[in-house]
């Protein structure tokens, strides 16, 4: 039999059950509230982001409706406060500068951006495009005279980077209207025409020619190394030297050795400047261009000489430019090019550090006015080497460092004997009917000897590859001499007999016929 439940107990149980259900509902509501709060926060952030983007878009739309920015060239600060002189739209203007622009960023010649009301709001560096002009002459520290391709001259200001490194003959990027030069273009005209260097050739590298080397050292080096004695004796140094003679006999090597020797004799860590002018490249089909290039080269020489260093202007193949006036066939350009050189040589008299050296194997074609005393004062003939000098030249190339199968003395003796062995080459008929036979030995040159040694080295390399030998031998040299003589491709044609007498360096009766033997 079940006992009846107490009413008070039933009420307590019911209340506990109700409280438990309420707590569960509250916990669930809290979870939902947190989820809604997080979602609401995300929506708020999304709304803020959308509002910011809308503001940016609105600003961009408004900016599209503003006037376009213009640019100009900053010329310099104005006298009053935050103002600047600017060249823009083809005129010079005085404009305000925005406080947001750092003063140090504005440099004369630089590009600036102009905002609303033509206020300078930004510095944009230097222009990368413009006209090309050649620097003719510096004026003070920050100005220069430049010439365009038509030869029209203009005075421009040099920007800060150019004030230290711009030199005569440089190609500059300019704005002719603003009057500023911005940049030095690597395409330098003078560097295209001449090679400014200190050669590494010394007198020891030249075999033979002792008399000629002594003469040119006395003529060129003494005035630079002992200027006080020249002043005491009231003796002016020579303005120029002409090296002439058959091709391949060391004229260019001597000129380079002079520059190297002068650099070594300066003694204070300096160097001599050697302008090796590429003669044929001076020529230009436009009237006046060749003369202008000659002026540029001498202007560069004067600039370098102003530093107190010796400057040598070397014209190789001089007859290609400065021929006797009146000998031209068509344009006869010599009538203007030669006087330009004469003017420049006469103009270096006040600069004791500049000397002109010319080299040619056709001295009879050079205008006599260039060769007179007072211009190219010293004439030095570079003859073909004899047996003794040929031995010295071979010794420069056949050193102990070259692998050799026999002693170098034996190799040199074998090569010289083979080179100067009697071997008829051409028979000349003179104007009086007499005949003269020239041998291969009459055409020996230093360049030929160097090529003979190279041929012998190649033969030695081939034998070593085949395993049949090691080092240069006398037989290699004999074969190389024979091969060099057999080619003889640079000899004059028999249709012009006088060329045979000229190339041998002989002076005598006129040649009327030549027969290759």
């Amino acid at each position: 039999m079940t006992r009846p439940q107490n009413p008070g107990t039933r009420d307590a149980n019911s209340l506990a059950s109700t409280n438990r259900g309420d707590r569960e509902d509250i916990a669930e509501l809290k979870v939902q509230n947190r989820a809604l709060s997080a979602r609401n926060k995300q929506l708020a952030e999304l709304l803020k982001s959308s509002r910011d983007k809308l503001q940016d878009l609105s600003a961009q739309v408004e900016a599209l409706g503003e006037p376009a920015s213009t640019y100009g060239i900053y010329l310099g600060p104005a006298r009053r406060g935050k103002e600047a002189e600017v060249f823009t739209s083809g005129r010079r203007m005085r404009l305000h500068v925005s406080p947001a622009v750092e003063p140090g960023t504005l440099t004369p010649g630089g590009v600036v951006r102009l905002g609303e009301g033509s206020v300078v709001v930004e510095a944009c560096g230097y222009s990368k495009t413009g006209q090309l002009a050649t620097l003719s002459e510096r004026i003070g520290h920050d100005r220069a005279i430049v010439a365009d391709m038509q030869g029209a001259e203009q005075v421009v200001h040099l920007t800060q980077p150019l004030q230290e490194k711009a030199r005569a003959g440089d190609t500059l990027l300019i704005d002719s209207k603003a009057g500023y030069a911005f940049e030095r273009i690597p395409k330098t005209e003078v560097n295209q025409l001449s090679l400014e260097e200190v050669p590494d050739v010394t007198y020891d590298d030249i075999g033979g020619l002792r008399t000629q080397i002594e003469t040119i050292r006395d003529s060129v080096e003494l005035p630079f190394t002992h200027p006080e004695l020249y002043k005491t004796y009231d003796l002016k140094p020579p303005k120029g030297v002409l090296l002439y003679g058959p091709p391949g006999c060391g004229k260019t090597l001597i000129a380079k050795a002079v520059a190297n020797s002068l650099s070594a004799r300066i003694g204070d860590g300096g160097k001599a400047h050697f302008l090796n002018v590429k003669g044929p490249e001076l020529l230009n089909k436009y009237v006046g261009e060749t003369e202008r290039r000659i002026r540029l080269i001498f202007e560069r020489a004067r600039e370098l000489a102003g530093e107190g260093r010796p400057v040598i202007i070397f014209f190789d193949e001089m007859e290609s430019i400065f021929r006797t006036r009146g000998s031209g066939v068509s344009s006869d350009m010599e009538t203007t090019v030669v006087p330009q050189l004469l003017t420049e040589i006469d103009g270096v008299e006040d600069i004791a550090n500049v000397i002109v050296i010319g080299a040619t194997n056709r001295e009879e074609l050079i205008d006599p006015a260039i060769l007179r005393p007072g211009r190219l004062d010293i004439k030095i003939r570079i003859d073909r080497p004899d047996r003794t000098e040929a031995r010295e030249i071979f010794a420069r190339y056949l050193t102990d460092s070259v692998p050799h199968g026999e002693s170098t003395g034996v190799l040199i003796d074998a090569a010289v004997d083979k080179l100067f062995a009697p071997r008829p080459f051409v028979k000349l008929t003179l104007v009086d009917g007499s005949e003269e036979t020239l041998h291969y030995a009459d055409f020996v040159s230093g360049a030929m000897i160097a090529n003979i040694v190279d041929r012998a080295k190649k033969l030695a390399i081939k034998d070593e590859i085949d395993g049949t030998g090691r080092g240069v031998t006398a037989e290699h040299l004999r074969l190389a001499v024979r091969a060099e003589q057999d080619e003889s491709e640079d000899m004059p044609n028999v249709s012009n007999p006088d060329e045979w007498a000229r190339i041998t360096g002989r002076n005598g009766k006129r040649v009327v016929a030549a027969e290759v033997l």
Side-chain angles (χ1 to χ4, degrees):
M1 177 174 159
T2 304
R3 180 182 293 179
Q5 191 173 9
N6 191 336
T9 302
R10 287 198 301 271
D11 293 340
N13 291 336
S14 176
L15 181 60
S17 176
T18 301
N19 291 339
R20 193 163 48 250
D22 291 342
R23 286 196 297 272
E24 291 176 355
D25 292 341
I26 291 172
E28 183 177 354
L29 289 174
K30 288 182 177 179
V31 172
Q32 293 178 358
N33 185 48
R34 284 194 296 270
L36 291 174
S37 297
R39 184 178 181 184
N40 185 51
K41 185 177 180 180
Q42 292 177 352
L43 291 173
E45 292 178 352
L46 181 61
L47 180 61
K48 182 177 182 301
S49 175
S50 300
R51 185 171 60 251
D52 293 340
K53 291 181 179 179
L54 181 61
Q55 290 177 351
D56 291 341
L57 291 174
S58 299
Q60 293 177 15
V61 172
E62 292 177 1
L64 292 175
E66 293 180 355
S69 295
T70 58
Y71 290 87
I73 302 296
Y74 176 73
L75 303 179
R79 295 183 179 179
R80 297 184 304 171
K82 293 278 289 185
E83 292 184 343
E85 299 285 345
V86 178
F87 184 85
T88 180
S89 302
R91 55 182 177 171
R92 186 184 183 116
M93 301 182 66
R94 179 173 292 185
L95 305 178
H96 290 285
V97 180
S98 170
V101 178
E102 293 291 335
T105 60
L106 298 177
T107 56
V111 178
V112 292
R113 185 170 67 87
L114 308 180
E116 187 176 0
S118 295
V119 176
V120 178
V121 297
E122 183 183 3
C124 305
Y126 295 110
S127 176
K128 300 298 183 182
T129 60
Q131 298 172 289
L132 291 180
T134 302
L135 196 156
S136 301
E137 185 178 352
R138 292 286 295 266
I139 304 177
H141 181 66
D142 60 348
R143 293 194 302 161
I145 298 175
V146 297
D148 60 16
M149 298 302 294
Q150 288 73 38
E153 293 186 330
Q154 178 184 357
V155 176
V156 297
H157 289 276
L158 301 176
T159 55
Q160 183 65 35
L162 290 178
Q163 291 176 6
E164 301 298 330
K165 61 182 181 181
R167 300 187 297 181
D170 288 345
T171 299
L172 303 181
L173 182 66
I174 71 168
D175 186 324
S176 59
K177 294 182 178 180
Y180 264 92
F182 313 116
E183 184 182 354
R184 178 185 177 189
I185 303 301
K187 179 188 173 182
T188 303
E189 186 171 12
V190 169
N191 284 346
Q192 292 174 340
L193 301 174
S194 64
L195 178 62
E196 182 181 329
E197 60 175 6
V198 178
D200 57 358
V201 178
T202 66
Y203 292 123
D204 293 335
D205 298 326
I206 305 173
L209 304 180
R210 295 182 182 178
T211 303
Q212 292 87 342
I213 290 175
E214 186 67 25
T215 301
I216 197 168
R217 295 185 74 167
D218 292 344
S219 304
V220 177
E221 295 188 20
L222 287 181
F224 289 119
T225 55
H226 301 286
E228 67 286 348
L229 291 178
Y230 272 71
K231 185 176 181 180
T232 301
Y233 282 85
D234 193 19
L235 178 62
K236 293 183 180 179
K239 293 182 183 179
V241 176
L242 178 69
L243 304 175
Y244 68 98
C249 293
K251 297 184 293 294
T252 304
L253 284 178
I254 288 180
K256 292 184 176 182
V258 169
N260 184 288
S261 179
L262 283 175
S263 297
R265 287 197 176 199
I266 290 176
D268 57 356
K271 64 178 183 179
H273 297 284
F274 184 75
L275 298 181
N276 187 2
V277 180
K278 306 169 186 177
E281 293 189 9
L282 281 174
L283 302 179
N284 192 287
K285 65 180 180 179
Y286 294 105
V287 176
E289 272 297 296
T290 302
E291 294 87 334
R292 184 180 65 85
R293 295 180 175 188
I294 294 174
R295 289 195 300 271
L296 284 178
I297 289 171
F298 277 87
E299 180 63 31
R300 170 63 61 84
R302 292 187 185 94
E303 181 181 349
L304 296 174
E307 303 172 0
R309 306 295 182 194
V311 179
I312 294 175
I313 305 177
F314 177 61
F315 289 97
D316 205 356
E317 307 297 339
M318 200 172 189
E319 79 284 350
S320 64
I321 324 169
F322 308 112
R323 288 175 174 257
T324 301
R325 285 168 284 185
S327 61
V329 177
S330 57
S331 62
D332 200 15
M333 66 160 193
E334 297 87 1
T335 56
T336 55
V337 174
V338 170
Q340 182 64 53
L341 177 66
L342 299 180
T343 301
E344 297 295 340
I345 293 179
D346 292 340
V348 301
E349 57 188 1
D350 295 331
I351 304 178
N353 293 337
V354 178
I355 189 168
V356 178
I357 298 181
T360 179
N361 60 339
R362 298 297 301 271
E363 63 278 1
E364 75 279 3
L365 299 181
I366 299 177
D367 193 278
I370 298 177
L371 303 180
R372 74 157 175 83
R375 287 169 180 158
L376 296 188
D377 308 77
I378 311 298
K379 290 88 174 174
I380 303 176
R381 178 172 180 81
I382 311 298
D383 288 310
R384 294 186 180 276
D386 55 20
R387 294 180 67 97
T388 302
E389 292 173 334
R391 190 181 302 275
E392 295 180 7
I393 298 173
F394 271 112
R396 298 296 188 278
Y397 298 103
L398 290 174
T399 61
D400 291 335
S401 61
V402 178
H404 48 278
E406 304 170 66
S407 67
T408 55
V410 172
L411 296 179
I412 293 173
D413 289 339
V416 172
D417 290 341
K418 181 64 176 178
L419 186 61
F420 285 90
R423 186 187 176 192
F425 182 45
V426 63
K427 182 171 67 175
L428 304 179
T429 302
L430 306 181
V431 68
D432 59 356
S434 60
E435 295 181 348
E436 182 179 358
T437 300
L438 299 180
H439 295 258
Y440 281 93
D442 295 320
F443 299 91
V444 174
S445 67
M448 178 186 292
I449 293 175
N451 202 35
I452 288 172
V453 175
D454 288 342
R455 288 176 183 269
K457 290 177 180 178
K458 292 176 185 177
L459 293 174
I461 290 175
K462 292 178 64 176
D463 286 349
E464 188 163 342
I465 293 175
D466 296 339
T468 59
R470 181 172 180 81
V472 179
T473 64
E475 185 60 25
H476 290 150
L477 286 166
R478 295 189 187 97
L479 293 174
V481 170
R482 182 68 186 218
E484 184 70 24
Q485 292 178 345
D486 288 343
E487 288 188 1
S488 304
E489 296 176 348
D490 60 339
M491 296 302 176
N493 193 290
V494 294
S495 62
N496 189 2
D498 284 335
E499 289 293 308
W500 292 97
R502 186 195 60 78
I503 201 169
T504 59
R506 301 188 179 200
N507 296 318
K509 297 179 181 180
R510 183 172 178 268
V511 179
V512 295
E515 178 186 358
V516 177
L517 302 176

